[in-house]
């Protein structure tokens, strides 16, 4: 009995892990475990039934949390965009843009994956879209199956680290930090990760040219009358638009705005300038731009404008993340309407999936609240704190252990489960150790991203498996017989990208400035440097220690003097 009382917290945590490994639904495993050990704790006298009078208020607090409203908004936005054909248009256009390069199709997949991540924030939508559209083309032109499947799955998981990621919303909520700050902190690591994928594809195409060939001439659709592809025209358009953006942005901001605001405004002006020039050229038939330049502009600028509508308004402080998500959902519906692809069936499917995912999140959060209430009541938070603070190496030892623990748990749990189970336990310990929680949250987010890529349980691999060809088939364009993609090839293709993600975890850990730039130019006050100096004659102005008020106004010093 004494052993059970002394070790109830670790037993409770081990029991939760057992429930999850048995396949019990996460939300109900958390709630049932919390209620079971609450009854045991009451029986042992470790807590009283009065404690659970706080439970209804906690549940109502979850429902009333405005920040969590961003989850259904961003989910709806992503699903509408995915079903409106935006991913298809982007992949086709960017594939033509980079297709003449060796490995160009894979680079296009990474590029489109980053853009979809910045507009959808939903892994399943990104992976399935790119798997359906890009994988058959890459197989048609001789790409290595492991490289093709790996780059599609990895690019789809960028939705978890590039804002407006759902996991960043959950992490910010669980760590008690601003979603906007979490978005700012994750921006650089997210795009650096996408850049690392591109570097890997380039190196793979250099060392193994047969694994990532360029598009053949007959597959390149855009051709100018003089025989060129029109890339020079696109480059000139981008440079002219960039010059306009720099001049106008500097004139409007006078160099005094924060860096985030200047970047957002400059990108907006750059996109609008390019779109206006391309639209003027098309309407007036001026012949300034090539067909490729026009196509790239008209396909890429609307999603970039939507990114500004969502992230730009958050970064410059015009809108909260919830308001930004609402504007993004409306913008996605408007884009689908303009493309003439909005239908009642599309809207119904998107809203149905959004409702399911939102209920999934809320139920897990309620379950984790029940679990957390009991776990803290039996001193589980102190057990976790003592366990982790005793790790040698201080902050670095803590971060390394947490990173390894997250990586291992990601084999069995997805990011929602990780965020709701381990983050509430680790966050308070990190804060007590003086670790910035935004940096800690981004570090966890990059690590949790591997949960989608782990063989054999990675969800991105499951999504890709569902759309990859399971049998040999005849290609409709070339008439050639294309071999199937095996599950083993998908698993092996994910390994290099998991290594890249782990390297990014190490980089974020070693270079905190990649995340800490979110603080900008905020003044930081060291509490140890604050001084309160009081003159020794302070009391004499009130009568030299006599009754309060005596001697006031008799030449004594101002009681507010020398206060700093």
């Amino acid at each position: 009995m004494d052993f059970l009382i002394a070790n109830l917290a670790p037993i409770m945590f081990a029991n939760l892990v057992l429930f999850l490994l048995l396949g019990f639904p996460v939300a109900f495993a958390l709630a049932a475990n919390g209620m079971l050990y609450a009854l045991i704790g009451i029986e042992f006298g470790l807590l009283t039934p009065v404690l659970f009078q706080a439970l209804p208020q906690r549940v109502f607090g979850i429902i009333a949390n405005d920040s969590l409203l961003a989850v259904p908004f961003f989910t709806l936005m992503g699903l509408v965009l995915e079903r409106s054909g935006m991913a298809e248009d982007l992949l086709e256009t960017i594939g033509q843009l980079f297709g003449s390069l060796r490995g160009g199709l894979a680079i296009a997949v990474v590029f489109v994956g980053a853009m979809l991540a910045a507009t959808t924030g939903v892994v399943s939508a990104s992976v399935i879209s790119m798997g359906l559209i890009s994988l058959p083309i890459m197989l048609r032109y001789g790409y290595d199956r492991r490289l093709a499947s790996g780059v599609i799955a990895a690019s789809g998981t960028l939705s978890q680290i590039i804002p407006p990621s759902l996991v960043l919303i959950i992490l910010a909520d669980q760590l008690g930090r601003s979603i906007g700050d979490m978005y700012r902190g994750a921006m650089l690591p997210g795009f650096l990760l996408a850049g690392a994928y591109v570097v890997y594809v380039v190196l793979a195409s250099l060392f193994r040219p047969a694994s990532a060939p360029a598009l053949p001439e007959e597959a390149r659709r855009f051709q100018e009358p003089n025989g060129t592809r029109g890339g020079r025209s696109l480059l000139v358009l981008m440079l002219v638009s960039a010059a306009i953006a720099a001049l106008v942005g500097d004139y409007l901001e006078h160099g005094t705005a924060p860096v985030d605001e200047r970047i957002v405004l400059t990108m907006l002006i750059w996109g609008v300038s390019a779109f206006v020039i391309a639209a003027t050229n098309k309407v007036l038939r001026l012949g300034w731009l090539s067909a490729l330049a026009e196509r790239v502009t008209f396909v890429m600028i609307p999603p970039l404008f939507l990114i500004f509508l969502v992230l730009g308004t958050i970064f410059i402080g015009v809108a909260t993340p919830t308001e930004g998500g609402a504007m993004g959902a409306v913008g996605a519906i408007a884009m689908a309407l303009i493309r003439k692809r909005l239908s009642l069936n599309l809207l119904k499917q998107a809203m149905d999936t959004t409702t399911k995912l939102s209920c999934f999140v809320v139920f897990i959060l309620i379950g984790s609240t029940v679990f957390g209430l009991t776990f803290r009541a039996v001193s589980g938070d102190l057990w976790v704190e003592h366990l982790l603070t005793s790790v040698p190496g201080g902050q670095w030892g803590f971060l390394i252990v947490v990173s390894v623990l997250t990586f291992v748990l990601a084999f069995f749990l997805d990011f929602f489960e990780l965020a709701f189970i381990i983050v509430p336990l680790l966050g308070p310990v990190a804060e007590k150790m003086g670790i910035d929680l935004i940096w800690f949250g981004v570090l966890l987010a990059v690590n949790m991203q591997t949960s989608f890529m782990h063989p054999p349980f990675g969800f991105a691999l499951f999504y890709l498996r569902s759309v990859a060809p399971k049998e040999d088939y005849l290609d409709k364009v070339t008439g050639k017989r294309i071999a199937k993609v095996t599950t083993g090839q998908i698993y092996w293709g994910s390994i290099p990208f998991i290594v890249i993600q782990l390297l990014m975890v190490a980089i974020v850990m070693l270079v905190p400035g990649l995340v800490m730039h979110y603080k900008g130019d905020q003044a930081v006050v060291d509490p140890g440097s604050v001084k309160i100096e009081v003159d020794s004659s302070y009391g004499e102005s009130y009568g030299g220690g006599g009754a309060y008020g005596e001697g006031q106004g008799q030449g004594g010093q101002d009681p507010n003097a020398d206060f700093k």
Side-chain angles (χ1 to χ4, degrees), residues 24-355:
F24 206 66
V26 178
F28 303 119
L30 286 165
N33 213 38
M35 295 303 295
L36 171 64
Y37 279 89
L39 296 174
I40 295 174
I42 291 171
E43 182 66 25
F44 287 166
L46 296 176
L47 59 146
T48 63
V50 178
L51 178 70
F52 280 85
Q53 291 181 357
L55 195 56
Q57 290 182 330
R58 289 195 171 205
V59 173
F60 280 114
I62 293 168
I63 305 301
N65 189 343
D66 290 339
S67 298
L68 293 177
L69 277 175
V71 173
F73 284 141
F74 284 127
T75 305
L76 179 63
M77 179 182 76
L79 292 170
V80 170
L81 288 175
E82 182 260 329
R83 285 168 170 76
S84 67
M86 185 191 74
E88 183 178 349
D89 291 343
L90 281 171
L91 283 165
E92 181 184 357
T93 303
I94 307 303
Q96 288 292 323
L97 179 62
F98 294 110
S100 59
L101 302 174
R102 190 178 293 155
L105 285 176
I107 294 173
V109 166
V110 177
F111 195 92
V112 174
M115 288 197 67
L116 290 177
T119 50
T120 64
V122 182
V123 170
S124 58
S126 299
V127 174
I128 290 173
S129 297
M130 293 190 293
L132 286 171
I133 301 163
S134 293
L135 187 58
I137 301 174
M138 297 171 83
L139 298 179
R140 178 184 303 155
Y141 296 116
Y143 268 71
D144 181 81
R145 280 158 177 71
R146 290 175 296 181
L147 176 61
S149 58
V151 77
I152 289 173
S155 300
T157 62
L158 290 172
S159 300
Q160 293 313 298
I161 186 62
I162 295 178
S165 161
L166 298 183
V167 71
L168 293 177
I169 296 173
I170 300 299
L171 284 172
D173 178 71
Q174 293 296 297
L175 292 171
R177 290 297 181 266
S178 162
I179 297 175
D181 287 344
M182 191 69 77
Y183 278 178
R184 288 187 185 91
M187 187 66 77
L188 274 180
F191 285 111
L192 277 177
L193 189 59
Y197 292 165
V198 172
V199 170
Y200 171 73
V201 170
V202 171
L203 292 176
S205 62
L206 287 175
F207 290 103
R208 292 186 293 134
S211 67
L215 277 178
E217 286 290 338
E218 62 270 16
R220 303 174 193 176
R221 292 176 46 199
F222 295 99
Q223 195 83 11
E224 295 300 302
N226 60 3
T228 63
R229 300 189 62 246
R232 184 177 299 176
S233 172
L234 177 62
L235 179 61
V236 171
L237 174 63
M238 295 298 104
L239 291 175
V240 170
S241 303
I244 294 172
L247 292 173
V248 176
D250 187 61
Y251 173 77
L252 293 176
E253 297 290 353
H254 303 292
T256 58
V259 175
D260 286 341
E261 187 172 335
R262 290 204 299 271
I263 292 174
V264 167
L265 183 63
T266 301
M267 288 189 64
L268 175 65
I269 298 171
W270 171 77
V272 170
S273 302
F275 193 86
V276 169
I277 293 172
T280 303
N281 177 75
K282 186 176 181 66
V283 172
L284 300 180
R285 299 180 180 178
L286 300 175
W288 292 344
L289 302 176
S290 63
L292 179 65
E294 281 191 357
R295 172 75 176 178
V296 169
T297 303
F298 291 138
V299 169
M300 287 185 58
I301 298 303
L304 287 174
F305 179 76
L306 189 62
I307 292 170
F308 166 79
L309 188 65
V310 176
L311 298 180
T313 52
I314 294 172
F315 286 173
I316 64 178
V318 174
T320 65
T322 301
E323 293 164 346
M327 289 191 294
V330 173
I333 293 172
M335 282 182 60
L337 192 60
I338 292 171
R339 291 167 174 265
K340 298 180 180 179
R341 293 179 178 176
L342 183 67
S343 65
L344 188 61
N345 187 46
L346 182 152
L347 206 55
K348 182 181 177 182
Q349 289 179 4
M351 295 180 73
D352 181 58
T353 305
T354 301
T355 303

Side-chain angles (χ1 to χ4, degrees), residues 180-181 184-185 257-262 315 436 438 512-524:
D181 287 344
R184 288 187 185 91
V259 175
D260 286 341
E261 187 172 335
R262 290 204 299 271
F315 286 173
D436 183 272
I438 296 293
L514 290 175
V515 176
M516 301 294 223
H517 70 88
Y518 81 92
K519 293 185 176 180
D521 300 324
Q522 296 176 11
V524 179

